[in-house]
Amino acid sequence: PHFIIRVPGKNDALCFNIDEDPGTVLRLIHDPVTGLTVHGEIIGDKVASADSKTRNTYFGKLGIANAYLDVRIEVTPEKISLWNGEAQSTFSWLDTVTVTQNGMTMAINRKKNIVLSFGDGVTFVVVLHQVWKKHPVHRDFLGFYVVDSHRMSAQTHGLLGQFFHPLDFEVSDIRPGLDPSKPVATMVVKNHQLKVTRGSQKDYRRDASVGVKVACWFIHNNGEGLLDGDLKDYIVPALF
Amino acid sequence: SLPEMVVDGIEVYSTKIHCRVTSRFAHNTVTTRATNRAETAKEVSFDVELPKTAFITNFTLTIDGVTYPGNIKEKEVAQKQYDRAVSQGKTAGLVKASGRKLEKFTVSVNVAAGSKVTFELTYEELLKRNKGKYEMYLKVRPKQLVKHFEITADIFEPQGISSLDAQASFITNDLLASALTKSFSGKKGHVSFKPSVDQQRSCPTCTDSLLDGDFTITYDVNRESPANVQIVNGYFVHFFAPHGLPVVPKNVVFVIDVSGSMYYQKLKQTKEALLKILEDMKENDYLNFVLFASKVRVWKDHLIQATPENIQEARAFVSNIAAEDTTNINGGLLRGIEMLKKAREEHQVPERSTSIVILLTDGIANEGVSRPEDIQANARNAIGGKFPLYSLGFGDNVDYGFLEKLALENNGFARRIYEASDATLQLQDFYEEIANPLLTGVEVEYPQNAILDLTQNTYKHYYDGSEIVVAGKLADKDMNHFKADVKGHGAFNDLSFTEELDAEEMEKARQEQDYIFGDYIERLWAYLTIEQLLDKRKKAQGEEKENLTAQALELSLKYHFVTPLTSMVVTKPEDNEDQTAIADKPGDDQVDVPPSSAVLVGYQPPQTPYYYVDGD
C-alpha cells in the first residue's frame, strides 16, 4: 500500500510504500491516551507476482478499536462488523446506514466509504475500492484516511500516527532523475539525509475510481529514514 | 374416464391450484372442473380451505360454458339477498373458520345430466415473514381421485430468492420426490406438485385419495441490503428486514392465569412451555412472573436478571405453580405493568432494553374489575404506550375479542393457543417470535409531501426473522427519485438506514413489470391498508369506528376483496329463478360460535317433496 503524508506547514506531501507479505498486519495508529488503535492487514493480488518488486499489495482488512468505549470495527471489502464488547453487528457495503452511540458515529455510505468519528476531533474515512469481480489479477481493497486527528494525543504513534505531530523537512539539490518527469532531490528529515524522488499519489476520498493526484516527495525503501525505528516495529500479530 | 374416477355420478376432471407470488404478495387461483356423468341432475360441491389472512377476490361458476361472475357487495346488501334466498327454501353452505390457520369456503351447485361445471376461486394475501421465512400454506383435500391434480407456484422476488422448499404432510418422501419439483434461480422460483392418479391412491388398489393434509411452500429472499423498495404505477412498497444486529435485552413479565379452569392440562402445558422458555432466556434479559387467580401473587417483588442461578430458581418456582380459584385479570395485569414501569424508573433494568408484558389466560375475568372495557382502559392508561402487551388466549372459553383488543390497544397482538397436545409448542413458538428484538421504536420516514396514504410506519419492535412492510402512493407518479429513512434503537446504538432509488434504478424496476402482474403493488397496498384499518377498527369506538369502517369498506369494494365488511355474490339464473351464492369472511373471534357469515348457493330443491312426521 502507498502512504501519503500531508505536511501542512510545508504545503507539501511526503509519500512512501510499504511492501510486506500478504497477511502482515501493520499498526497504523495507536494512541494510549484516547484508546484508539488502527491496524491494517495486507492483501496481494489474486495471482501473486514472483517478483516482490512488481507485486501489488493493498489493505484488505482494517481493525479500528477504541479500548475505552469497548468498541471494535472490522472492515473488509465484503462487510463491516461492529463489536460492542462481545455483541456483534454486521453491515454490508450495500447499506446506507448511520450508527450512533455514546462517543462514536459510524456512517456507511453504500458502496463508497465509511466515515467514522470518535467524539469531536477524530474522524477517519475508509474507502472501498471495487474492481471488476472477474478481474484476473486485482481484487477489492480498502483505503484509509485520517481527516481529523486534532483530539489525538501527543503520544500517538504508528505508521500514520507518528505524523499527527508537527513534522519538518528540507529538500535540496533537486536534479533530474532517470525519468525526466521525476526529479530527484536530497531530503533532510528526522535527522536523516535521504534521496527522494518527486512523484505523485492519488487521494481517493472523493471518488474511489478516479482519485485526485497529490504531488509528493517519495521516500524509498519502505519509508526508511522517514519512519521512526524499523518497519518491523510496526508489525503486529493480529488485527485486534 | 375410468369408472373408479366417477363417484356418485360426478367425475372431477381436474383440480388446479395456481399460486403466483410477486414480492410476497400471493395471488392464488383454485380451479376445479367436473362433469356430471349421471343420467339425472346432481349436486356438485367445491370446498376450498384458505388462510384466514387471505381475502377472496373472485369466485366464478361456469356451467356448460356460461360463466357467472362474483360481485362484491356490502355485507348488509348481500345479507338481504341471502335472507331472501333462504326464505325461498334454498339451502346454504357455510364458510367457517376451519382449524387454526384456515377458513373453509364451500359451494355446491346443481348440475344437469351430462353438464360440465367449473369452479374458480381466487384469493390474495401478503405472506408474512416469520423466523426468517415466508410461508404459503395450502390445504389439500380432494374428495375423490382427480384425473389432473396440480399445484403450481411461480414466485418472483426482485431481491432474488435465497431458499425455497415445499413439503406435503400427506405423502411419503418417495412419492413426493417423483410428484414434486421445486427450483429457483435468481429472482424466480417454481414449485410443481403433480401426482398421477395412481400416486393419489391411498393404497395400490384403493379408489380413495391419500391427498389430505397440508402443502406448505416456504422461501426467503436475498438480504444483501436491509431494505428493498419497489415502485409500480405510482404505488410503492418498502420492505425492511435488517439482520446481523445484536438482540436488544428484554424485560419480560409473564402474567399468568392460574385460576381453577387452568387446572391440570392447561397449566401443565403452560409450565412445560415456561420451563423451555426459561432455558432460552439470555443472560442480559430480566424477568418476573405474576400469577393471578382471585388473588395476585408474584415470584419476586421486582424484575430479576436471567442469570443461571436466577433461572434455576425461576424453574423451581414455575414447577410449583398450582391452579386455584377465580380469575382476576385486571389485578394481575396491573401488577405486571406497574412492575415494568417501576423497573425502568428506578433503573433496575438496562437503559437500552425493551419491556414486554405477556398475558396468558384461558377464561373471562370474574374477580375484581371484571368489565372488559374497564380492564382495557386500566391497562391502556397504565401502559401509556410505553411497551407492548401480548395476549395469549388458551382454549375455547376465552373471550378472544377482549384479549385481541387489549393487545392491539397496547401495540401488541393476540394469539390463540389451541387446547391440543402441541399447546406447549404453540406457546414456545409465540415466545420465539418475540424473543429477539433487534430494534425498538422503529420509524419509517419519507420526504414530506412526496407520499400519500401511507400504511403503518411506526413499530414498537422489529424482531429478528420478521419484516416490516410499508406501502403508499407517490404524490407524483412520475417522480424519478425515491428516498426512505428507517430509524430505530438497537442494543447498543441508534441506527438510521437510508434507502434511495435513483431514476436508473426506478426505470429498471419498471422494466421488471413484464414479469409480474401489473397492479400488484397497488393491490398489496390496498390489502395492507384494509388489514390495518380493520385492526384499528377493533379498538376504536363511536365516530372513529364508523370512519374506519367506511374507509375499509370503500377499499374492499374498490379492490374486490371479501373482508369482514363485504360479501361476494354469485347469481345464477335458473328456471326463471335466481340462484345466489354468497362468500363471506368470518372473523377469528367467531371460532366455535355459529358463523354469522355464509357461502350460500342457490340450490334446486329435490324433485320429490319431503314429508315430515313429528313426535308431537
Side-chain angles (χ1 to χ4, degrees):
Chain A
H2 71 251
F3 288 68
I4 310 171
I5 313 295
R6 281 186 182 275
V7 187
K10 290 282 181 186
N11 198 22
D12 207 342
L14 307 179
C15 47
F16 58 92
N17 283 351
I18 295 290
D19 177 41
E20 271 296 330
D21 292 334
T24 305
V25 181
L26 298 172
R27 181 189 294 122
L28 302 179
I29 298 170
H30 175 64
D31 180 3
V33 176
T34 60
L36 273 166
T37 304
V38 181
H39 290 168
E41 185 179 321
I42 286 175
I43 53 166
D45 282 330
K46 286 175 184 168
V47 184
S49 167
D51 178 3
S52 70
K53 284 187 180 172
T54 59
R55 74 177 174 185
N56 293 306
T57 54
Y58 316 89
F59 281 118
K61 207 181 261 185
L62 290 165
I64 301 157
N66 187 317
Y68 298 137
L69 296 178
D70 196 14
V71 163
R72 286 175 295 147
I73 300 152
E74 183 182 299
V75 187
T76 70
E78 289 76 42
K79 64 177 183 178
I80 301 110
S81 303
L82 162 69
W83 282 272
N84 288 90
E86 292 303 308
Q88 185 185 0
S89 305
T90 311
F91 303 95
S92 146
W93 277 103
L94 295 173
D95 296 344
T96 297
V97 59
T98 303
V99 182
T100 318
Q101 64 187 73
N102 259 352
M104 190 197 89
T105 301
M106 177 173 79
I108 302 170
N109 295 302
R110 182 183 157 87
K111 292 193 196 174
K112 282 184 187 153
N113 59 36
I114 302 168
V115 180
L116 195 57
S117 301
F118 291 94
D120 176 24
V122 179
T123 302
F124 305 141
V125 175
V126 179
V127 173
L128 174 67
H129 290 268
Q130 282 188 305
V131 299
W132 179 43
K133 280 257 176 292
K134 291 178 183 170
H135 194 289
V137 178
H138 300 314
R139 65 172 83 208
D140 296 349
F141 64 98
L142 302 169
F144 179 79
Y145 296 81
V146 179
V147 294
D148 188 355
S149 62
H150 81 265
R151 284 288 167 93
M152 297 195 78
S153 79
Q155 294 175 50
T156 307
H157 210 266
L159 283 171
L160 287 173
Q162 64 187 282
F163 299 106
F164 297 169
H165 323 303
L167 174 75
D168 196 16
F169 66 87
E170 287 299 331
V171 176
S172 59
D173 192 19
I174 301 171
R175 55 201 183 272
L178 289 175
D179 178 348
S181 66
K182 292 179 178 173
V184 295
T186 303
M187 175 183 282
V188 177
V189 62
K190 292 184 177 176
N191 298 322
H192 296 283
Q193 187 171 302
L194 311 172
K195 183 188 169 191
V196 293
T197 304
R198 192 64 178 169
S200 70
Q201 292 288 10
K202 280 188 172 177
D203 178 338
Y204 292 100
R205 265 178 301 169
R206 192 166 291 173
D207 187 332
S209 56
V210 182
V212 176
K213 270 191 177 178
V214 178
C216 59
W217 288 110
F218 185 81
I219 293 101
H220 300 267
N221 299 327
N222 288 330
E224 196 177 85
L226 172 68
L227 296 174
D228 294 337
D230 190 90
L231 181 59
K232 285 193 172 54
D233 300 338
Y234 299 94
I235 295 174
V236 291
L239 208 58
F240 294 108
Chain B
S1 297
L2 298 167
E4 61 188 6
M5 298 189 63
V6 178
V7 176
D8 195 22
I10 303 298
E11 181 192 5
V12 179
Y13 176 75
S14 76
T15 291
K16 290 184 179 176
I17 303 172
H18 183 222
C19 313
R20 214 165 26 153
V21 186
T22 305
S23 290
R24 302 59 157 166
F25 194 61
H27 176 95
N28 298 343
T29 307
V30 185
T31 311
T32 286
R33 293 188 169 88
T35 305
N36 178 5
R37 300 228 176 262
E39 289 175 0
T40 56
K42 288 277 177 187
E43 189 178 85
V44 183
S45 60
F46 172 67
D47 295 340
V48 176
E49 287 178 84
L50 60 143
K52 284 177 183 171
T53 47
F55 293 153
I56 290 172
T57 61
N58 202 12
F59 172 67
T60 59
L61 197 61
T62 303
I63 299 177
D64 290 336
V66 182
T67 298
Y68 306 97
N71 290 305
I72 295 280
K73 294 191 176 184
E74 188 178 349
K75 193 161 223 151
E76 278 179 27
V77 177
Q79 188 68 33
K80 281 179 192 158
Q81 233 167 324
Y82 168 88
D83 292 342
R84 200 169 62 237
V86 170
S87 69
Q88 286 166 357
K90 293 169 183 172
T91 54
L94 297 172
V95 164
K96 40 185 163 182
S98 162
R100 298 173 185 181
K101 296 180 179 174
L102 301 169
E103 56 196 36
K104 192 172 182 178
F105 174 95
T106 308
V107 167
S108 53
V109 67
N110 223 40
V111 178
S115 286
K116 289 177 179 172
V117 61
T118 302
F119 301 96
E120 188 174 285
L121 177 78
T122 307
Y123 62 90
E124 292 178 343
E125 68 170 326
L126 179 64
L127 305 177
K128 290 189 175 62
R129 189 163 181 256
N130 186 14
K131 294 185 201 165
K133 281 191 174 105
Y134 304 99
E135 182 182 280
M136 189 153 58
Y137 184 71
L138 303 165
K139 195 79 174 177
V140 176
R141 194 178 288 163
K143 286 178 184 148
Q144 61 194 75
L145 299 175
V146 179
K147 197 167 182 180
H148 300 286
F149 183 91
E150 189 175 4
I151 297 173
T152 53
D154 289 306
I155 301 167
F156 179 82
E157 287 290 348
Q159 283 161 279
I161 295 169
S162 62
S163 64
L164 173 69
D165 196 14
Q167 297 286 340
S169 66
F170 45 82
I171 199 163
T172 62
N173 282 341
D174 289 350
L175 274 177
L176 195 62
S178 56
L180 178 76
T181 58
K182 49 193 176 187
S183 61
F184 68 96
S185 173
K187 297 176 181 184
K188 292 181 185 177
H190 181 75
V191 174
S192 169
F193 176 60
K194 212 172 170 180
S196 65
V197 172
D198 283 341
Q199 284 175 321
Q200 292 174 43
R201 292 178 206 279
S202 58
C203 72
T205 52
C206 296
T207 54
D208 57 332
S209 176
L210 64 64
L211 303 186
D212 182 359
D214 306 334
F215 189 85
T216 313
I217 298 171
T218 51
Y219 75 94
D220 199 17
V221 301
N222 292 324
R223 307 231 168 240
E224 288 168 336
S225 171
N228 180 257
V229 174
Q230 290 158 45
I231 303 171
V232 179
N233 294 338
Y235 286 82
F236 78 91
V237 59
H238 180 181
F239 300 104
F240 178 71
H243 62 109
L245 300 175
V247 175
V248 178
K250 303 179 293 297
N251 315 310
V252 192
V253 171
F254 297 92
V255 180
I256 298 167
D257 186 346
V258 292
S259 63
S261 55
M262 289 287 285
Y263 179 72
Y264 194 60
Q265 188 67 2
K266 284 185 211 164
L267 202 55
K268 183 171 170 270
Q269 289 170 327
T270 302
K271 283 158 71 172
E272 281 172 10
L274 285 174
L275 290 173
K276 183 73 183 63
I277 286 168
L278 285 172
E279 270 176 36
D280 296 341
M281 280 210 130
K282 295 173 180 70
E283 196 162 347
N284 51 2
D285 289 342
Y286 281 69
L287 79 153
N288 204 349
F289 298 102
V290 176
L291 309 182
F292 66 88
S294 59
K295 287 186 182 148
V296 176
R297 66 190 178 97
V298 295
W299 171 45
K300 299 280 181 188
D301 287 335
H302 53 86
L303 282 124
I304 296 289
Q305 192 177 355
T307 59
E309 302 75 36
N310 289 339
I311 289 291
Q312 195 56 37
E313 200 185 322
R315 289 177 64 84
F317 175 79
V318 166
S319 302
N320 289 318
I321 294 175
E324 55 186 271
D325 235 339
T326 48
T327 311
N328 183 359
I329 293 179
N330 187 71
L333 208 46
L334 292 190
R335 185 81 173 86
I337 294 166
E338 286 311 316
M339 192 183 285
L340 279 170
K341 282 168 71 178
K342 196 173 162 200
R344 178 73 69 192
E345 283 159 14
E346 296 182 358
H347 307 286
Q348 296 166 6
V349 291
E351 197 179 327
R352 279 192 174 271
S353 62
T354 185
S355 300
I356 294 170
V357 185
I358 299 173
L359 168 68
L360 185 132
T361 180
D362 74 332
I364 294 164
N366 55 13
E367 180 78 36
V369 177
S370 56
R371 264 189 82 226
E373 295 78 9
D374 294 340
I375 300 171
Q376 283 158 355
N378 290 344
R380 195 171 57 235
N381 293 336
I383 291 177
K386 289 193 177 83
F387 45 81
L389 183 156
Y390 297 97
S391 305
L392 300 175
F394 207 140
D396 298 335
N397 299 322
V398 73
D399 181 353
Y400 189 76
F402 156 69
L403 290 183
E404 189 174 34
K405 191 170 177 183
L406 191 63
L408 288 173
E409 281 183 341
N410 293 292
N411 300 301
F413 55 78
R415 273 290 152 76
R416 209 172 250 291
I417 303 296
Y418 293 88
E419 205 173 341
S421 57
D422 68 341
T424 310
L425 270 178
Q426 294 173 50
L427 283 165
Q428 283 170 28
D429 275 354
F430 160 78
Y431 181 75
E432 280 170 24
E433 250 182 78
I434 61 156
N436 297 310
L438 299 187
L439 291 172
T440 62
V442 182
E443 290 179 23
V444 190
E445 294 171 354
Y446 304 91
Q448 274 191 338
N449 306 324
I451 302 299
L452 306 169
D453 298 332
L454 200 60
T455 59
Q456 185 183 342
N457 66 330
T458 58
Y459 289 84
K460 279 277 165 208
H461 289 128
Y462 163 72
Y463 293 109
D464 195 18
S466 70
E467 184 172 64
I468 286 174
V469 184
V470 183
K473 285 185 205 171
L474 304 184
D476 172 11
K477 198 177 167 188
D478 299 318
M479 71 191 273
N480 55 16
H481 180 258
F482 181 93
K483 185 170 180 276
D485 289 313
V486 188
K487 291 176 182 164
H489 309 292
F492 297 92
N493 34 48
D494 294 339
L495 296 106
S496 170
F497 296 86
T498 303
E499 186 68 17
E500 270 184 287
L501 261 75
D502 58 22
E504 193 185 325
E505 285 167 313
M506 289 176 77
E507 183 50 40
K508 215 169 112 187
R510 283 189 190 107
Q511 285 165 7
E512 280 184 347
Q513 286 179 51
D514 294 346
Y515 295 101
I516 56 189
F517 54 106
D519 61 350
Y520 83 99
I521 290 185
E522 185 174 348
R523 294 195 67 78
L524 187 160
W525 164 82
Y527 173 97
L528 205 54
T529 305
I530 293 169
E531 194 183 48
Q532 291 173 359
L533 285 170
L534 292 171
D535 269 352
K536 277 190 201 165
R537 182 176 166 265
K538 281 177 190 162
K539 57 183 181 183
Q541 281 172 339
E543 198 177 331
E544 191 196 357
K545 186 166 188 164
E546 281 172 26
N547 288 339
L548 292 166
T549 305
Q551 288 174 50
L553 175 62
E554 189 192 340
L555 285 174
S556 304
L557 292 170
K558 184 176 174 190
Y559 289 96
H560 227 245
F561 283 129
V562 177
T563 68
L565 305 173
T566 52
S567 299
M568 180 171 287
V569 178
V570 182
T571 304
K572 173 181 172 279
E574 192 171 309
D575 301 334
N576 300 321
E577 194 182 343
D578 282 0
Q579 290 195 16
T580 307
I582 298 177
D584 273 357
K585 187 171 188 63
D588 194 43
D589 53 354
Q590 289 166 346
V591 175
D592 296 317
V593 297
S596 62
S597 51
V599 165
L600 163 70
V601 99
Y603 170 65
Q604 212 170 33
Q607 300 299 312
T608 315
Y610 285 102
Y611 297 96
Y612 295 91
V613 176
D614 199 291
D616 286 327

